[in-house]
Amino acid sequence: MAIPIFDAIVVGSGISGGWAAKELCELGLKTLVLERGRNVEHNKDYPTANMNPWDFKYRGRMSEAFYKENPLITKSAGYGEDCAHFFVKDKDHPYIQEKPFDWIRGYQVGGRSLTWGRATQRWSEFEFTAPERFGYGIAWPIGYDDIAPWYSHVEKFIGICGNKDNLPAMPDGEFLPPFEMNCVLKDIKEKLKTNYTDRHLVHARWAHLTEPAQIHLAQGRGKCVARNLCMRGCPYGGYFSSVSSTLPWAEKTGNLTIRPFSVVHSVIYDEKLGKASGVRVIDTNTKEVTDYYARVIFLNASALNTNLVLMNSKSKRFPDGLGNDNGLLGKYISFHNYRGSLTATIDGYLDQYYFGRNPTDLILVNYRNLYKQDTDYFGGFTTFVNAYRAQHPTDTAEGQVGAAYKDALSEPGGWHLYMYLQGETVPKESNHVRLSETEKDQWGIPLLITAVEYDENDERMVEDFLTQSAEMLEKSGCKNIETNNNKQAPGLDIHEMGGVRMGKDPATSLLNKWNQLHECKNVFVTDGACMTSKGNQSPSILYMALTARAANYAAAEMKKGNL
């Protein structure tokens, strides 16, 4: 075999893949980034970024025929005519749902970092320790103190707006100023303080540049102007994506090579060397097969695709998938519980408004199962909250046509509120993915089978969330409170995790504390597949922090000659 051309290969160019590329390239490693989708360049490839509502043929929706052909992807939050080009059509990338699971994907350079929700709360020590403390999971091999410096490293670079609240359940970080809290939310915050000792309504942490620092200007990014059109791609670079931030930064080093249209078939394992030597790639257009070689490999293809790649990486040493000596590859898949939501109205405040279309929500910090288990279910939940003026005050005009209706639209209506659940789910061995033995995709790779479902623990959490939230809104003076359990299938949260989990013991996990495969030390997994448990905070910034930490460790080990 020829000497490897690259020092490192990164599979995937999204949130974690972009960070792997940035860190490895900055550390002097010649790095190849493989992306199965098309190339996307910042600004150049945001075709709808500055379009007006009337510029869209279907006014933001899709045609009836498109909905019929794509019943899965069109369920995704925020999906529409303005951002459809950043999502995968149903027929283009099939998989098998043994149990209902809505797998939302975006295949292009930048991945789903172009369309993510941008919430970036740090995990707390509670989340790292709860599974072991309460007996519903294995121990994490790291704790909050291990990852805290890397949270700071990431936050300073990408730009996070928020407020320092000194709450153990949601640790503070390196923040830019938050967006202003509107008058209704300020009052509800104070009423919660009056009525409860454990309910804290605070600014969430969001990857938006409210006041760019020099490091952000150096990336060519600018201030968020509160258009709330983020999923089109931001021409200002006001929110973080790998396309606007980490990948261009890596490219400046001269060490980066990006190869789009490259489906990774498998990781190549060298039996003689006892380690991985590269990856096998299929060109999505020509179907030509090419092997690329490197000393270290980072898998950041998104959680389920990383599982798929490892399961398809079979060799004499690993007949059941790379690193899968314990048979746990693909198991303990988890996701976020998004089933619960509430809406309400509140009287008054009609002489007040707010700036722009604020792209951020507030958070009611988790108050369940922190120091002890105080409910009949495991896990905690984050509650996203916001209040807004109605844009269509139809109660002040007859019908929705004519001069009276137009005049009414010039004045906002009353105040409305919403709350929704982001709940922790318990990883279970029965919740798994595996490869089909009979069906393959258009490149000859086995289709992924998803066997993932909710359980009674999740139902009890939803019930508690709805009961507690309705009570809080009522005590805060809200009216017309409506609760909803949408009973959606797993997957629409787009926070799938697990299958290649970290742990202290090779008998019960696949990765060590540095995100290395226990049985193949030069392969690292730092996307959602690595997660030992679910937590209740949004996960993306943890993936970024884990990736930066692992990349720096890998570079140091290479320098020592250990990899």
Side-chain angles (χ1 to χ4, degrees), residues 28 43 75 114 133-134 146 148 153 224 226 248 264-265 272 292 329-330 339 403 413 416 426-427 485 504 508 539 543:
N43 264 338
K75 288 190 285 185
L114 288 162
R133 282 190 293 130
F134 300 135
D146 296 302
H153 178 71
C224 173
V264 173
H265 173 277
K272 293 181 180 179
Y292 293 93
L329 179 61
R339 286 189 167 188
H416 295 245
V426 175
N485 179 353
K504 298 177 181 178
T508 57
Y543 304 163

Side-chain angles (χ1 to χ4, degrees), residues 440-508:
K440 297 183 178 182
D441 66 16
Q442 55 267 57
W443 301 288
I445 299 173
L447 293 186
L448 193 72
I449 300 173
T450 59
V452 181
E453 62 183 349
Y454 284 95
D455 60 18
E456 187 58 34
N457 192 79
D458 305 317
E459 299 296 343
R460 289 195 290 267
M461 178 181 288
V462 172
E463 182 179 354
D464 182 44
F465 163 79
L466 293 174
T467 300
Q468 293 296 316
S469 299
E471 177 190 278
M472 284 185 276
L473 289 176
E474 185 175 8
K475 287 185 177 181
S476 298
C478 295
K479 299 179 179 179
N480 303 312
I481 300 168
E482 295 185 8
T483 63
N484 179 45
N485 179 353
N486 60 35
K487 298 186 181 297
Q488 68 186 33
L492 280 183
D493 58 283
I494 322 182
H495 288 174
E496 59 271 8
M497 304 182 198
V500 198
R501 65 182 181 178
M502 300 171 69
K504 298 177 181 178
D505 186 353
T508 57

Side-chain angles (χ1 to χ4, degrees), residues 82-318:
D82 59 340
C83 60
H85 47 283
F86 289 144
F87 289 85
V88 173
K89 292 181 180 178
D90 292 2
K91 67 178 181 179
D92 290 342
H93 298 279
Y95 65 104
I96 300 169
Q97 299 184 53
E98 186 171 272
K99 298 173 182 177
F101 186 91
D102 297 325
W103 187 12
I104 308 300
R105 290 160 289 172
Y107 294 153
Q108 61 267 323
V109 170
R112 292 187 304 195
S113 77
L114 288 162
T115 57
W116 66 308
R118 308 170 306 284
T120 48
Q121 309 85 243
R122 293 187 179 197
W123 270 37
S124 69
E125 185 68 10
F126 295 115
E127 289 164 282
F128 282 106
T129 61
E132 184 180 27
R133 282 190 293 130
F134 300 135
Y136 63 90
I138 65 170
W140 276 81
I142 61 172
Y144 177 74
D145 289 343
D146 296 302
I147 202 67
W150 296 101
Y151 270 134
S152 293
H153 178 71
V154 168
E155 287 164 346
K156 290 175 184 177
F157 188 82
I158 70 175
I160 304 296
C161 66
N163 188 62
K164 296 201 174 194
D165 300 295
N166 194 30
L167 296 172
M170 197 170 77
D172 295 329
E174 315 291 336
F175 299 143
L176 305 171
F179 285 87
E180 183 181 6
M181 189 181 297
N182 67 47
C183 58
V184 169
L185 295 173
K186 286 178 181 178
D187 283 2
I188 290 178
K189 175 184 176 76
E190 294 306 312
K191 288 172 182 174
L192 289 174
K193 281 185 180 180
T194 300
N195 293 313
Y196 301 90
T197 60
D198 62 345
R199 312 292 165 94
H200 304 285
L201 184 64
V202 301
H203 289 284
R205 289 77 198 260
W206 299 90
H208 287 267
L209 300 181
T210 51
E211 290 185 10
Q214 184 57 44
I215 186 62
H216 310 126
L217 298 176
Q219 296 170 41
R221 299 169 61 201
K223 181 176 181 176
C224 173
V225 295
R227 303 190 319 156
N228 198 21
L229 300 175
C230 311
M231 291 177 70
R232 299 182 182 187
C234 179
Y236 307 98
Y239 77 90
F240 167 79
S241 74
S242 57
V243 169
S244 66
S245 179
T246 45
L247 290 176
W249 197 265
E251 193 168 19
K252 289 180 182 178
T253 67
N255 293 324
L256 177 67
T257 301
I258 299 179
R259 191 185 193 280
F261 301 112
S262 301
V263 175
V264 173
H265 173 277
S266 55
V267 177
I268 303 167
Y269 184 77
D270 189 303
E271 304 279 353
K272 293 181 180 179
L273 295 176
K275 62 181 181 180
S277 58
V279 296
R280 180 153 296 156
V281 170
I282 302 173
D283 187 289
T284 61
N285 297 314
T286 67
K287 298 189 178 180
E288 179 183 1
V289 177
T290 306
D291 293 345
Y292 293 93
Y293 298 99
R295 290 172 63 188
V296 297
I297 296 163
F298 272 70
L299 293 180
N300 302 92
S302 80
L304 299 192
N305 273 324
T306 288
N307 275 273
L308 190 159
V309 169
L310 287 172
M311 287 187 283
N312 203 42
S313 301
K314 298 181 179 181
S315 61
K316 183 177 180 181
R317 167 67 181 85
F318 295 109

Side-chain angles (χ1 to χ4, degrees), residues 180 182-183 349-356 389-391 412 415:
E180 183 181 6
N182 67 47
C183 58
Y349 311 95
L350 297 180
D351 60 339
Q352 298 184 65
Y353 203 70
Y354 42 83
F355 170 75
R389 299 286 298 270
Q391 293 182 328
W415 286 88

Side-chain angles (χ1 to χ4, degrees), residues 409-424:
L409 287 178
S410 68
E411 295 292 334
W415 286 88
H416 295 245
L417 296 93
Y418 62 81
M419 306 174 75
Y420 65 91
L421 169 72
Q422 181 176 279
E424 181 176 359

